[in-house]
Amino acid sequence: MEGPGTQAEQEPLLGDRTPGSRDWEIIETEEHYKSRWRSIRILYLTMFLSSVGFSIVIMSIWPYLQKIDHTADTRFLGWVIASFSLGQMVASPMFGWWSNYRPRKEPLIISLFISVAANCLYAYVHVPASHNKYYMLVARGLVGFGAGNVAVIRAYIAGATCLHERTSAMANTSAFQALGFILGPVFQTCFAILGEKGVTWETIQLQINMYTAPALLGAFLGFLNIILIIVILREHRVDDTGRQCTSINNEEVRRDDIQIPQINIDQVAVVTTNVLFFVILFIFALFETILTPLTMDMYAWTAVQAVLYDGIILAALGIEAVLVFIGIKSLAKLIGERPVLLGGFVITWIGFFILLPWGNQFPKIQWQDLHNHTIPNTTFGEIIITLWQSPRDLREGPTGCPIIQAWCLYTPMIHLSQFITSVVLIGIGYPCSNVMAYTIYSKILGPKPQGVYMGWLTASGSAARILGPVYISQVYTSWGPRWAFGLVCGIVLLSITLLGVVYKRLIAFSIRNGTIQE
């Protein structure tokens, strides 16, 4: 191999340029190829850190909130948790639009600065004399706002990969995202040795304890991420065949010099994919939410047992998802993205169908109603946190299905073997449908800048993570798992029907306009 700058390195990797095409005058060289993939890998890291930013403090928010503001209740906690998804939902289209017209470094760096500042604010919410809970609300909302850069990341990777590279790149993106959600709570646990008191840096009024250390780590990693983006990330764009294109995001390039095919995007396929992506995130969010209450009701687990066993289940589910993300790259190359997407929905439907209560064995009834605790029809924060952090989850006491839930008396229990089988199937179906949905989505959009479209896709996912817990909390508490999971089966079945109707339209832009043969 000759050294950098030699003739061999400057040889085109992908053949001759297309005659008469001003947009494709530059053919990708080995140097360009390496730079392109260095940039993509930096964005894998950014996606990982974005998901860590959500999960690294999620286990300690409630005790930290109680410590800094005694007026905070579980209703307010619901808004604190939801503020991340709300912030991301608002920011995603904005950052996506920004990335369509300016270098992608700009929205990425600004969003990361917001996340760094928000994590620092989270570490200081104990300092004000009053209204501390509102400072925490703002801090978590701003962390979510910064996480709106997910839209920019997906748009960049979609524009910087050709068709045969994109499925693998999107799967890797999802794998890093899932890994961040898995390791975030692990990082949190490592800081537990600091305790609630920790150490205090009096000069700057900084307390470093089990609550603030994870946020400070998030701020440090975000700052490191900013440096890597400044130093390594470069603007790259290739067409569906892999030829280097003039990027609309380069400041030195005039927009008049960029030619993009004027064939319209298939909006039916775009809307359908957004709906499918919403459903995917919706059903997984509700599954995560109901996991602890379901196992405590069905198997009479104590709070300690539920936290331990469900934590193990979620960790195993995350590892399974990472393995599936890695494996489906080869499967998609073998049979195509659409069959994998359809198969993911079918497997998910089977998983929830198995979760339906059957038989004549009923759960243990918890006759004692501690503190007359019910789920009122008030704010959505109350609805979510009543299931997550009800008094029976915070202290030892009677176990089993509480008598205040009338369905406990007549609904058969979900056997542990049913539950484990369902978890395994959902752990396969969710990652398959998740990564294939936005891989197909990016291919449908074609060569035009995808920032805004990816922003709406990310916003739909954020909305799903908000509405999923609301749905499951209401239906499960009032009518039980048979109605809750039965309706989910209906939603997934409708999604499969919708997918079948538009199946032939979910093809790449370049295939639809005849540039590439399928």
Side-chain angles (χ1 to χ4, degrees):
M1 173 65 70
E2 297 181 53
T6 62
Q7 182 178 0
E9 190 176 33
Q10 300 303 318
E11 285 295 315
L13 294 179
L14 298 169
D16 298 329
R17 65 187 180 187
T18 304
S21 174
R22 296 169 62 197
D23 194 29
W24 291 339
E25 287 176 355
I26 303 173
I27 305 301
E28 186 172 51
T29 63
E30 183 176 354
E31 181 182 6
H32 179 275
Y33 177 85
K34 291 179 178 178
S35 174
R36 180 164 64 91
W37 279 100
R38 278 196 300 267
S39 298
I40 291 172
R41 289 176 185 125
I42 286 298
L43 295 185
Y44 289 162
L45 174 64
T46 305
M47 181 68 89
F48 170 78
L49 295 179
S50 176
S51 58
V52 167
F54 171 77
S55 61
I56 197 169
V57 299
I58 198 69
M59 293 173 61
S60 64
I61 285 180
W62 178 229
Y64 188 33
L65 182 59
Q66 288 180 307
K67 180 182 178 182
I68 64 171
D69 196 327
H70 297 296
T71 66
D73 56 14
T74 54
R75 290 177 296 178
F76 193 81
L77 177 61
W79 288 110
V80 172
I81 292 175
S83 63
F84 180 93
S85 294
L86 288 170
Q88 188 180 50
M89 183 171 64
V90 171
S92 297
M94 295 170 56
F95 286 132
W97 178 86
W98 189 351
S99 72
N100 274 3
Y101 298 99
R102 298 288 300 169
R104 265 76 65 95
K105 278 187 179 181
E106 292 181 5
L108 286 171
I109 291 173
I110 294 302
S111 64
L112 288 169
F113 264 122
I114 292 172
S115 295
V116 169
N119 277 309
C120 292
L121 174 61
Y122 185 87
Y124 275 96
V125 294
H126 65 280
V127 173
S130 61
H131 302 103
N132 305 75
K133 63 183 182 182
Y134 295 107
Y135 288 101
M136 180 181 281
L137 179 69
V138 171
R140 290 302 295 168
L142 287 175
V143 172
F145 194 90
N149 59 20
V150 169
V152 183
I153 295 170
R154 287 173 174 162
Y156 181 98
I157 293 174
T161 52
C162 61
L163 283 184
H164 81 269
E165 296 172 331
R166 196 166 307 161
T167 301
S168 176
M170 290 297 189
N172 290 339
T173 305
S174 292
F176 274 88
Q177 187 177 33
L179 193 61
F181 283 121
I182 296 169
L183 294 182
V186 175
F187 295 151
Q188 165 75 72
T189 303
C190 292
F191 290 116
I193 59 174
L194 295 174
E196 289 193 342
K197 186 176 180 180
V199 295
T200 303
W201 190 351
E202 296 290 352
T203 307
I204 57 175
Q205 293 184 297
L206 176 62
Q207 290 183 0
I208 303 176
N209 54 35
M210 61 184 290
Y211 303 132
T212 61
L216 293 173
L217 175 63
F220 171 76
L221 293 175
F223 183 73
L224 180 63
N225 198 185
I226 291 172
I227 295 175
L228 291 174
I229 286 176
I230 292 173
V231 173
I232 298 176
L233 186 72
R234 297 292 180 266
E235 293 294 341
H236 290 292
R237 179 169 166 257
V238 297
D239 74 335
D240 284 350
T241 65
R243 295 176 182 270
Q244 182 181 351
C245 303
T246 305
S247 176
I248 198 171
N249 302 91
N250 286 332
E251 290 184 296
E252 66 272 13
V253 176
R254 295 181 304 166
R255 294 179 62 85
D256 293 341
D257 291 337
I258 298 174
Q259 294 182 349
I260 297 175
Q262 296 303 309
I263 299 175
N264 291 329
I265 296 171
D266 188 345
Q267 295 296 337
V268 172
V270 167
V271 172
T272 299
T273 313
N274 268 280
V275 171
L276 295 175
F277 190 72
F278 174 89
V279 172
I280 295 163
L281 271 292
F282 178 84
I283 58 180
F284 192 73
L286 67 86
F287 181 74
E288 286 182 312
T289 301
I290 204 60
L291 188 63
T292 297
L294 177 68
T295 53
M296 293 181 72
D297 289 345
M298 291 292 120
Y299 313 120
W301 288 352
T302 64
V304 174
Q305 289 175 320
V307 170
L308 174 61
Y309 299 155
D310 291 336
I312 293 172
I313 289 170
L314 284 176
L317 195 63
I319 294 171
E320 181 189 14
V322 171
L323 295 175
V324 173
F325 283 134
I326 295 171
I328 58 175
K329 295 186 287 186
S330 300
L331 182 62
K333 288 181 180 179
L334 184 65
I335 65 175
E337 287 98 355
R338 288 179 297 176
V340 176
L341 175 62
L342 179 60
F345 271 100
V346 171
I347 293 172
T348 301
W349 181 86
I350 294 172
F352 276 100
F353 184 78
I354 290 174
L355 204 54
L356 293 174
W358 303 99
N360 54 11
Q361 185 177 347
F362 297 89
K364 174 187 173 184
I365 302 298
Q366 179 191 138
W367 294 101
Q368 183 178 352
D369 178 17
L370 293 180
H371 302 290
N372 193 30
H373 189 73
T374 59
I375 294 185
N377 293 319
T378 51
T379 67
F380 103 110
E382 281 183 297
I383 296 170
I384 299 174
I385 303 306
T386 296
L387 282 177
W388 283 353
Q389 298 289 349
S390 63
R392 64 193 174 96
D393 298 331
L394 295 175
R395 58 178 64 90
E396 297 299 327
T399 59
C401 199
I403 190 62
I404 56 172
Q405 295 176 165
W407 56 264
C408 293
L409 296 173
Y410 57 81
T411 302
M413 73 175 294
I414 299 170
H415 296 279
L416 188 59
S417 57
Q418 276 182 269
F419 176 70
I420 297 299
T421 303
S422 175
V423 168
V424 171
L425 290 174
I426 293 171
I428 296 173
Y430 166 72
C432 285
S433 50
N434 177 286
V435 70
M436 288 302 113
Y438 66 77
T439 298
I440 292 172
Y441 186 73
S442 70
K443 293 183 177 183
I444 290 170
L445 298 177
K448 293 184 178 181
Q450 299 186 7
V452 173
Y453 282 102
M454 286 296 180
W456 288 118
L457 186 74
T458 304
S460 70
S462 299
R465 287 197 300 271
I466 296 171
L467 295 177
V470 174
Y471 159 82
I472 196 66
S473 301
Q474 288 279 42
V475 178
Y476 177 85
T477 305
S478 301
W479 298 326
R482 178 169 286 167
W483 274 98
F485 301 138
L487 290 174
V488 170
C489 287
I491 292 171
V492 176
L493 191 60
L494 287 174
S495 300
I496 293 172
T497 304
L498 175 63
L499 177 56
V501 171
V502 299
Y503 189 85
K504 293 184 178 180
R505 303 183 71 151
L506 302 181
I507 56 175
F509 181 92
S510 54
I511 293 175
R512 188 166 66 90
N513 66 21
T515 305
I516 295 177
Q517 294 296 320
E518 186 171 13

